[in-house]
Amino acid sequence: MRDFIVIDDLSDQEIEHIFHIADDMAGIIDSGGPCLCRDKIMATLFYEPSTRTRFSFESAMIRLGGNVIGFADSKTTSVAKGETIADTARIISDYADIIVVRHPLAGAAKVMADYADVPVINGGDDSHQHPTQTLYDLYTIHKHIGPIKGLKVGLCGDLKFGRTVHSLSYALARLGAEMVFVAPEGLEMPEYVVQRLKLKYKNEPECAERLEDVIGDLDVLYMTRIQKERLPAEMDYELVAGKYVIDKALLAKAREQMMILHPLPRVDEIAYEVDGDERAFYFRQSSYGVRVRMAITALLLGALKMPNSVPTEPPPRLISVSKRCVNPRCVMTHETYLEHKFEVVSKLLLGCAYCEEEPVDV
Ligand code: CP
């Protein structure tokens, strides 16, 4: 049984395999096909709002011939009475064959996976990772541009709290892309991500302050919204939100073939006048979520086989120490039964086993 919690849970070969299966799934969406997951039940446990992730997973499971149970508001469940993630995982394992979870605590999907007896898919855990989003971000690039290696990809917007850019940057680094980070002051890519990119993948992205200075060099521009709901109280949303907006005037400086992606929802960072431009791929990207999620669901349920490949790297070495995670929104800080486990990233760097951030003394 396998879970899909972080993008590194899949090898490069497995990611490519998923792209092939996603292409086949497009045929099932268009004209029907075998019910690969008949009699299987997916539980979608959404402790945080979602449109794309929840509905596309549910659509994927129904198109595979399976059934769906779940919630979109945890206040209507026994979570409101104080039930832990661990106990919820154990209980739902008796009701469903696979779990998709979205949670406002970083690392919550890993806890769910540690305690569930069925495969768990991370549908986004706070600012940590969103690995299925990354799969279809990569699928869109691969399908319409080609191999990722050597491409120059700009990641722009809230790089601190946006989970999509964390999992995507690891994948792009692994697959050999060059990256440019463009973020407002205070919302730059977190140091723990930058350190991992350097230590694990030997990748050192450029940083730029002005999008107009770099847009002409990019093959792909990945825009993101400012995560208003995660900003600290002292940060002025209006000040940072207006800093990077792509409109027709800015697009005039970009290459004719540059692809614009966005995980959506957008707020103001892409003007509506851009939607009709041939370079605007974000709605197509979103539509690919169903076929890619069909592929990963069928694979994790064992309805289709993964290739016999070795993982890209051995599993991380974990140690238990009397420190806590620095991140106030880490699951370790909130679910008190959890062991304080840290991953040895390098001789000099320990990262929380749940959210990847640094340890601090208790
Ligand atoms: N991209 C994405 O995760 O969208 P939702 O928050 O609507 O699921």
Side-chain angles (χ1 to χ4, degrees):
M1 190 191 87
R2 285 181 67 175
D3 306 298
F4 187 36
I5 306 302
V6 292
I7 191 65
D8 281 356
D9 288 337
L10 295 176
S11 69
D12 296 355
Q13 198 184 350
E14 287 170 336
I15 290 176
E16 201 151 313
H17 185 62
I18 288 169
F19 293 168
H20 290 305
I21 296 178
D23 285 337
D24 295 342
M25 293 299 173
I28 296 183
I29 294 171
D30 288 343
S31 25
C35 290
L36 293 169
C37 298
R38 192 196 304 277
D39 300 330
K40 298 288 185 193
I41 298 176
M42 170 183 279
T44 52
L45 312 184
F46 277 63
Y47 297 73
E48 234 193 18
S50 166
T51 297
R52 275 146 292 275
T53 311
R54 185 167 71 88
F55 289 117
S56 65
F57 262 115
E58 295 186 352
S59 171
M61 190 57 174
I62 291 164
R63 289 181 189 281
L64 288 165
N67 298 292
V68 180
I69 57 174
F71 58 79
D73 178 359
S74 65
K75 290 199 285 296
T76 64
T77 75
S78 286
V79 172
K81 304 173 202 162
E83 187 154 50
T84 62
I85 296 170
D87 283 356
T88 304
R90 289 171 170 133
I91 299 302
I92 300 294
S93 296
D94 290 331
Y95 306 157
D97 302 292
I98 190 164
I99 295 171
V100 182
V101 59
R102 168 168 290 188
H103 204 283
L105 294 176
K110 175 171 164 49
V111 177
M112 186 76 68
D114 286 349
Y115 287 88
D117 295 327
V118 297
V120 173
I121 299 176
N122 182 4
D125 55 334
D126 189 55
S127 302
H128 178 217
Q129 288 210 21
H130 195 352
T132 62
Q133 174 73 50
T134 296
L135 277 185
Y136 72 85
D137 297 341
L138 297 174
Y139 176 82
T140 311
I141 300 173
H142 192 267
K143 189 170 182 61
H144 294 280
I145 300 183
I148 309 286
K149 192 172 172 60
L151 295 180
K152 191 150 188 170
V153 182
L155 305 183
C156 179
D158 182 350
L159 305 187
K160 181 179 169 97
F161 295 113
R163 54 192 163 214
T164 63
V165 285
H166 299 161
S167 33
L168 181 60
S169 64
Y170 294 143
L172 290 172
R174 246 174 68 186
L175 296 170
E178 284 178 49
M179 286 182 277
V180 186
F181 294 159
V182 188
E185 196 183 338
L187 296 179
E188 296 93 349
M189 190 63 91
E191 193 52 27
Y192 75 87
V193 176
V194 173
Q195 282 301 315
R196 275 170 194 251
L197 290 172
K198 188 171 162 185
L199 293 169
K200 287 178 90 171
Y201 314 111
K202 314 287 175 252
N203 189 298
E204 294 190 54
E206 278 173 53
C207 292
E209 208 201 315
R210 288 156 40 97
L211 187 52
E212 49 270 48
D213 291 345
V214 292
I215 197 167
D217 300 330
L218 301 178
D219 298 298
V220 179
L221 172 61
Y222 194 91
M223 291 295 289
T224 61
R225 81 182 165 93
I226 303 298
Q227 305 267 306
K228 188 176 186 179
E229 67 279 24
R230 300 185 213 281
L231 288 191
E234 67 276 10
M235 197 173 271
D236 182 348
Y237 172 76
E238 299 303 331
L239 206 67
V240 285
K243 179 138 192 205
Y244 301 110
V245 176
I246 182 146
D247 55 15
K248 273 192 170 171
L250 184 52
L251 206 49
K253 299 181 196 293
R255 291 181 184 168
E256 275 182 24
Q257 304 300 325
M258 188 191 75
M259 169 183 273
I260 308 169
L261 298 179
H262 192 307
L264 305 179
R266 74 166 146 192
V267 185
D268 299 319
E269 58 282 353
I270 301 180
Y272 273 67
E273 66 186 19
V274 172
D275 294 354
D277 194 287
E278 284 184 357
R279 291 166 282 191
F281 273 79
Y282 30 92
F283 292 117
R284 239 178 300 179
Q285 171 193 4
S286 176
S287 77
Y288 294 152
V290 177
R291 63 179 73 173
V292 169
R293 286 172 171 144
M294 286 171 80
I296 189 74
T297 300
L299 286 161
L300 293 186
L301 280 171
L304 294 171
K305 293 272 171 278
M306 281 289 195
N308 291 324
S309 65
V310 283
T312 339
E313 53 183 283
R317 188 161 71 84
L318 297 181
I319 56 171
S320 292
V321 288
S322 59
K323 290 177 182 285
R324 65 174 173 78
C325 178
V326 73
N327 178 4
R329 291 206 302 259
C330 175
V331 70
M332 183 196 287
T333 316
H334 294 261
E335 303 264 316
T336 50
Y337 53 89
L338 294 174
E339 242 187 290
H340 288 200
K341 287 189 287 189
F342 292 89
E343 178 190 344
V344 183
V345 184
S346 80
K347 271 188 205 150
L348 297 175
L349 186 66
L350 285 183
C352 171
Y354 300 101
C355 77
E356 303 179 19
E357 293 208 26
E358 290 163 53
V360 288
D361 290 330
V362 176

